[in-house]
Amino acid sequence: MPTIPSTLRATARRVPETVAIKFGDYSCTYAELDAEVDRTAHALSDLGLCRGDRFALMATNSDRYVVAFYAALRVGAVVVPVNPGSAAPELQYLLSDSGAKILAYDLAVAGTVDAARSGFPESLGDIVALTEGSDDLALTSLAAKSATGEFEDVPTEEDNSLILYTSGTTGKPKGALFDHHRTIWVAVGCALNTGQKVGDRFLHVAPLYHAAELCIMLVPGTMVGATHVIMAAFDPVPVLDCLESEQITMMFGVPTMFQFLLRVGLLDRDLTSLRTAMFGAAPMPASAVVALTEALPNVDLMQLCGQTEGGPGGIYASVDQVRARPDASGRQATMFAEVRVVDPVGNDVANGEVGEMLLRGEGVMKGYWNKPEETAATIRDGWLHTGDLTKVDADGYMTLVDRLKDLIITGGRNVYSVEVESVIAAHPDVVDVAVIAKPHELYGESIVAVITLRDGGSMTLAQLQEFCSDKLSHYKIPHDMVLGAIPRNPSGKILKHKVRSGLLV
């Protein structure tokens, strides 16, 4: 089986003149990209980066991100993508936990890198900037002075490729470890599931450090020979401009991105080139899914629902399934994967019941980096225990209703926060919502809705309860309401532990 960098080499030989990357005014062909990756691999090797070493990459989306990513893998290193929005203590933790030998960063995060330097672990060797403009060595300059010619791919499919840190919605992130075999299987499955092909033009606006954008867009897109149109950050109007001007055929975005696009004039744009749009990484309210399908009637809108630990992988819904059941999370497992929904003793749940989603397949992680106990608790008998509570309908649709850790038990009855959040999110004055539990002396837990209102909007607890009264059973209706901002990670997932800590202070 090929490795991640060898697929770039193969594409460069198959379609050398195809444009590989467009970033602002810069563009390069696949032959040029492969040659630049070779030069950068020589530079990294000269710094002492070897097979199995960890290479931390902290950068916003750019052409240099792609070059550094493939070059480190070509050397045989394990890439550790770091959220460029990380604070100094978070960066220190990831470098220490991963045992990174080299940190590469772009100038946009230089301030964070400088603030964190005093706490960098002793295991960290070189610190390099992707481009010139700092006091650190610049990878572009090193590559320009390095040897020319092909750098022979070092890794095999069994070698480790990525440590993808989980979003840390319940605490400190854990590193999900993958080898090339697993990452390639995920890429092949995604290419087949979504119809990726040579000649496609991908828009990369979701962050490349994120498992979804990296593993289901960049890696398979490079494998098939797509053109990667890269934007540094999400801004709805420029994104719409890019979709039009660059004739984008495929994109992935988190739900909030699509909701912003709807608000700034999606209906007024010529998006006839857009064939497939995928959303995932966080739930999208059914009302928003309906609005999106109506706004994009000729686009294959697909929902992807999974976990970083799954490759990322899990379940998905095709365009017809999304239109038929906008409230569901998916209908079947992603390619080369299996899914079960089980009760606490491991039996498959009956239709209409709720259980935990389990995953098994070629793309599931090897385990958590240096965390054998957590690995053993999560992967049991070959099945990844996701912690996602899922309802299975008679027609096979699956809907994530909560995380095991977020289940609310009030008066002895189970309340799934996602169900309540979906109802509240449909209120016209609500921009964002998180539903959590608060200790209650009589009922065990009471239900609290934390709500962000639109500008000029207003709501009282009584009005909220009235809105929910004909949409939820009475015991699921919030007992309390707090107005404020909802903390989310860059993937769009609600940071429930931060919501709770803010509420209980």
Side-chain angles (χ1 to χ4, degrees):
M1 175 171 282
T3 63
I4 301 171
S6 74
T7 62
L8 169 60
R9 181 87 78 205
T11 299
R13 291 172 175 169
R14 188 178 73 252
V15 288
E17 299 307 314
T18 295
V19 175
I21 293 177
K22 287 200 70 176
F23 178 66
D25 294 331
Y26 172 82
S27 67
C28 69
T29 66
Y30 268 102
E32 292 167 335
L33 174 61
D34 191 51
E36 181 63 19
V37 167
D38 276 332
R39 287 190 291 272
T40 306
H42 279 294
L44 291 174
S45 179
D46 291 342
L47 288 175
L49 191 67
C50 299
R51 183 179 189 175
D53 289 338
R54 272 76 66 204
F55 175 83
L57 180 56
M58 183 180 185
T60 55
N61 289 5
S62 72
D63 58 306
R64 303 315 307 178
Y65 191 107
V66 177
V67 171
F69 173 76
Y70 277 96
L73 290 169
R74 183 157 283 174
V75 170
V78 183
V79 175
V80 183
V82 179
N83 178 358
S86 298
E90 295 170 325
L91 173 59
Q92 292 166 346
Y93 168 78
L94 293 180
L95 294 175
S96 176
D97 188 72
S98 66
K101 184 172 184 178
I102 290 180
L103 167 64
Y105 69 94
D106 70 10
L107 299 184
V109 301
T112 301
V113 172
D114 288 340
R117 285 179 194 267
S118 62
F120 282 166
E122 293 182 1
S123 57
L124 183 65
D126 289 293
I127 303 169
V128 297
L130 294 183
T131 56
E132 295 181 348
S134 76
D135 293 334
D136 291 310
L137 295 170
L139 197 52
T140 47
S141 300
L142 295 173
K145 300 173 185 176
S146 67
T148 57
E150 286 191 2
F151 188 102
E152 184 177 352
D153 287 332
V154 170
T156 67
E157 66 172 296
E158 292 84 10
D159 285 330
N160 294 333
S161 59
L162 300 170
I163 299 177
L164 300 175
Y165 277 87
T166 61
S167 51
T169 56
T170 59
K172 283 192 177 296
K174 297 185 290 291
L177 178 63
F178 297 87
D179 54 23
H180 288 264
H181 174 96
R182 286 166 165 81
T183 305
I184 291 296
W185 272 111
V186 170
V188 171
C190 188
L192 293 171
N193 268 149
T194 62
Q196 297 177 5
K197 58 186 179 181
V198 64
D200 267 335
R201 298 177 65 80
F202 286 8
L203 176 60
H204 294 275
V205 67
L208 282 167
Y209 79 85
H210 188 271
E213 193 69 22
L214 195 63
C215 298
I216 71 174
M217 289 287 284
L218 179 62
V219 175
T222 300
M223 183 187 303
V224 302
T227 295
H228 301 291
V229 180
I230 301 173
M231 298 185 72
F234 176 78
D235 189 345
V237 173
V239 166
L240 288 177
D241 292 340
C242 183
L243 287 168
E244 278 191 303
S245 64
E246 293 292 344
Q247 296 291 289
I248 299 300
T249 62
M250 186 173 291
M251 70 172 291
F252 169 84
V254 300
T256 51
M257 291 179 177
F258 287 106
Q259 290 171 277
F260 275 116
L261 293 177
L262 284 168
R263 293 176 186 173
V264 298
L266 180 64
L267 291 169
D268 301 326
R269 300 301 189 110
D270 178 9
L271 302 181
T272 52
S273 64
L274 186 60
R275 185 181 74 248
T276 304
M278 299 171 282
F279 67 92
M284 186 185 293
S287 56
V289 177
V290 171
L292 195 59
T293 57
E294 292 175 349
L296 299 171
N298 299 315
V299 174
D300 288 347
L301 188 66
M302 300 179 66
Q303 177 166 200
L304 308 179
C305 175
Q307 281 195 332
T308 298
E309 292 90 334
I315 59 175
Y316 76 100
S318 67
V319 55
D320 292 335
Q321 293 165 349
V322 168
R323 294 181 188 279
R325 285 290 306 276
D327 59 314
S329 303
R331 176 63 177 75
Q332 56 276 314
T334 51
M335 195 162 287
F336 310 126
E338 300 173 76
V339 61
R340 295 178 63 202
V341 180
V342 302
D343 62 22
V345 296
N347 298 316
D348 292 336
V349 300
N351 292 336
E353 297 297 318
V354 172
E356 182 185 8
M357 181 186 294
L358 310 187
L359 297 174
R360 182 171 68 180
E362 293 291 337
V364 170
M365 68 173 183
K366 295 176 70 173
Y368 289 119
W369 175 256
N370 284 343
K371 289 182 169 53
E373 292 182 2
E374 288 88 338
T375 298
T378 303
I379 302 177
R380 305 197 296 272
D381 298 323
W383 289 91
L384 174 70
H385 288 246
T386 68
D388 289 325
L389 291 173
T390 306
K391 181 179 179 181
V392 183
D393 295 340
D395 51 7
Y397 284 93
M398 291 168 275
T399 305
L400 268 61
V401 296
D402 219 332
R403 293 284 295 163
L404 271 171
K405 296 177 180 178
D406 294 333
L407 174 67
I408 301 169
I409 303 177
T410 179
R413 288 179 284 195
N414 293 347
V415 176
Y416 304 107
S417 61
V418 173
E419 179 185 8
V420 183
E421 289 164 355
S422 295
V423 169
I424 298 173
H427 192 286
D429 281 347
V430 173
V431 172
D432 205 359
V433 58
V435 170
I436 62 172
K438 184 171 72 172
H440 191 280
E441 61 180 352
L442 293 179
Y443 298 108
E445 292 179 321
S446 63
I447 305 168
V448 182
V450 182
I451 295 173
T452 304
L453 296 175
R454 66 171 176 82
D455 292 343
S458 64
M459 182 183 292
T460 65
L461 176 60
Q463 289 170 333
L464 172 65
Q465 292 172 330
E466 174 63 26
F467 178 78
C468 296
S469 62
D470 60 348
K471 303 173 183 69
L472 293 168
S473 300
H474 69 91
Y475 66 89
K476 300 178 182 178
I477 296 174
H479 307 112
D480 198 0
M481 182 185 76
V482 176
L483 298 179
I486 310 297
R488 290 180 178 266
N489 67 17
S491 307
K493 294 180 181 177
I494 299 172
L495 298 172
K496 291 285 180 81
H497 66 292
K498 289 191 175 182
V499 177
R500 294 188 190 97
S501 63
L503 183 66
L504 297 175
V505 168

